[in-house]
Amino acid sequence: NEVFARHAPNQSTPAAQWPDPVGSTRWYGFDLRLADDFATDPTGLVWLSLTQWKGVRGGQPAIALEVKRDTLEMAGASARNNLGPIKRGQWERIVVGVHFDASSAGWVEVYRDGALALPRTNRPTTTLVDGAPDPTYLKQGIYRSPTWTVTHVAEYGPVSIGLSKSDVD
């Protein structure tokens, strides 16, 4: 299953008219629970994403919440940052701040259960396609390499989107 939102009425809408255009800052808060038996790849070579901020036309997301070995990471097209060990069998609150930009003027900041997991880190948070920003939208679900042969279960609580961290805590 996949849940996505905050997109323009159609894909041909110019990037500047999307809900989260380049230059905007948004905060996203949601609850996440990974099953008690959530499988990981000990080699770290097989990818698995849980939440993506993805461009409409591009391939790899600009930023994505991923599982790598037994850790949660803020990954994506330009960087990878460790957010600490995954939590199996328990709910946790994830809060992500994003300033959308295709250059290092973009930034991401992440909290887990109220604790800072990734201080504000500059990195591209929007991808370019043919030299233009690819409109970015949020989507959640289990996105994984086709080499996985096990069942993964992740549960998501309601998503809040706001202009400040306090809007989504």
Side-chain angles (χ1 to χ4, degrees), residues 30-134:
F30 59 92
D31 296 322
L32 174 67
R33 182 185 177 280
L34 302 179
D36 292 329
D37 62 350
F38 195 88
T40 59
D41 170 43
T43 69
L45 300 176
V46 184
W47 64 273
L48 189 149
S49 296
L50 299 168
T51 300
Q52 299 181 5
W53 288 262
K54 182 132 171 35
V56 172
R57 296 175 197 90
Q60 185 177 7
I63 54 176
L65 191 63
E66 295 188 354
V67 173
K68 184 111 173 150
R69 293 186 175 87
D70 279 335
T71 62
L72 199 59
E73 296 188 347
M74 183 55 71
S78 67
R80 180 173 295 280
N81 304 101
N82 188 325
L83 304 176
I86 63 170
K87 298 178 182 179
R88 291 178 176 91
Q90 59 183 313
W91 285 97
E92 69 174 309
R93 182 76 176 164
I94 307 286
V95 172
V96 179
V98 180
H99 180 74
F100 291 102
D101 199 289
S103 75
S104 61
W107 56 260
V108 64
E109 183 175 324
V110 182
Y111 294 81
R112 296 179 71 185
D113 287 332
L116 184 63
L118 178 65
R120 189 164 293 183
T121 302
N122 289 89
R123 62 191 279 185
T125 53
T126 300
T127 55
L128 296 175
V129 173
D130 297 328
D134 191 8

Side-chain angles (χ1 to χ4, degrees), residues 1-2 34 38 47-52 140-144 151-156:
N1 288 329
E2 176 180 62
L34 302 179
F38 195 88
W47 64 273
L48 189 149
S49 296
L50 299 168
T51 300
Q52 299 181 5
Q140 291 186 305
I142 296 175
Y143 310 94
R144 63 188 194 161
T151 299
H152 284 103
V153 176
E155 297 175 76
Y156 297 86

